[in-house]
Amino acid sequence: MSLMKIFDTAGSGMAAESLRLNTVASNLANADSLSSSADSAYKAKELLFAPTQESDGLSDSQDGEVNNGVRMVGVSESQQPVETHYEPGNPMADENGYVYGSNVNPIDELVNMISASRSYQNNVEVMNTTKQLMIKTIDLGS
Amino acid sequence: MSFNLLDNVFGLSSKALELWQNRSEVLASNIANADTPNYQARDIDFRQALQQASGDSSDLQLSTPTEGQISPSTQSADQLKYRVPLQPSMDGNTVDTQVEQASFASNMVHYQSSLSFINSTIQTLRLAINGGGQS
């Protein structure tokens, strides 16, 4: 029964979106973290997604070569400049009196969060519909 | 009872059911990849696929008389087409979630209707076997 493959596909989508949500949570939690050098300051993490299988153009669509889900290929760090404040009284300040914040943009993160949760819901709906139809297929003839 | 006979009984419905199933896989993949950069949304040309599955395609098939020649049917069996995006996005992704969701919903209704055609055939057969008595 090849409807089973949809569970894998939608499941990989759900896993990817929850990873995204997890990353957003980590970024938002560290939005106000301080550091004493620009290198060790918290940089916003971004996930890289890719389809699990590429079509080779010759394969038969029947054997499932083309069908695929999504997977995470890596994490990249935002290249935006980190925030720098002049706070000589701060115990974290370097010898020039500067502290370094993170480069997390809370607006970006919130937009990401909404997008991820919507996509997650879409995948859940796909799974639900498929499940109901599978049950109907099993009940065939009764 | 051979499967060939069953195919004759259910007619095109069983083939259509299989095609709807394949299409739902493709659409589920599109929805799962809604946020993947450079992902190209795909879909099945259902009319063409069903015509081919039922064997009364109007296209003339090329013959492959020589051993090792690539059969044209293996290439034309790949019914997957690329969707043309309504609005190009910055990351090269051509999935339009609304379009995919609508296609998925209608695809599943079609699947269900093929299913109920098969179901009613089974019930008719059962009625014939029991001679209209208690089923």
Side-chain angles (χ1 to χ4, degrees), chain A residues 2-3 6 9 17 20 49-51 55 57-59 61-62 66-70 119 122-123 133 136-137 141, chain B residues 18 21-22 24-26 29 31-33 35-37 39 42 75 77-78 80 97 101 104 108 111-112 119 126:
Chain A
S2 71
L3 278 179
I6 298 181
T9 308
E17 299 304 340
R20 228 174 122 199
F49 289 149
S55 160
L58 279 172
S59 66
S61 63
Q62 311 286 321
V66 196
N67 225 299
N68 39 53
V70 60
S119 302
N122 285 340
N123 282 305
L133 280 180
K136 282 195 175 165
T137 316
Chain B
E18 199 182 318
Q21 204 174 58
N22 284 341
S24 66
E25 280 174 36
V26 175
S29 170
I31 292 175
N33 280 295
D35 297 316
T36 311
Y39 180 82
R42 312 195 76 179
Q75 279 179 322
D78 191 12
L80 288 180
T97 315
Q101 270 182 314
F104 191 81
M108 285 320 197
Y111 181 89
Q112 218 161 337
N119 218 354
R126 194 172 273 177

Side-chain angles (χ1 to χ4, degrees), chain A residues 16-27:
Chain A
E17 299 304 340
S18 64
L19 273 174
R20 228 174 122 199
L21 217 52
N22 211 340
T23 314
V24 168
S26 162
N27 286 348

Side-chain angles (χ1 to χ4, degrees), chain A residues 80-133:
Chain A
Q80 297 290 318
V82 294
E83 274 180 39
T84 315
H85 305 284
Y86 182 63
E87 285 179 31
N90 196 311
M92 297 283 278
D94 62 5
E95 60 270 21
N96 299 320
Y98 286 102
V99 288
Y100 301 88
S102 71
N103 62 356
V104 176
N105 183 350
I107 297 168
D108 280 356
E109 300 304 327
L110 288 173
V111 168
N112 244 328
M113 182 182 78
I114 293 169
S115 164
S117 76
R118 290 278 186 273
S119 302
Y120 189 90
Q121 283 173 23
N122 285 340
N123 282 305
V124 172
E125 284 304 318
V126 167
M127 256 192 185
N128 253 336
T129 314
T130 311
K131 188 189 77 185
Q132 279 166 8
L133 280 180

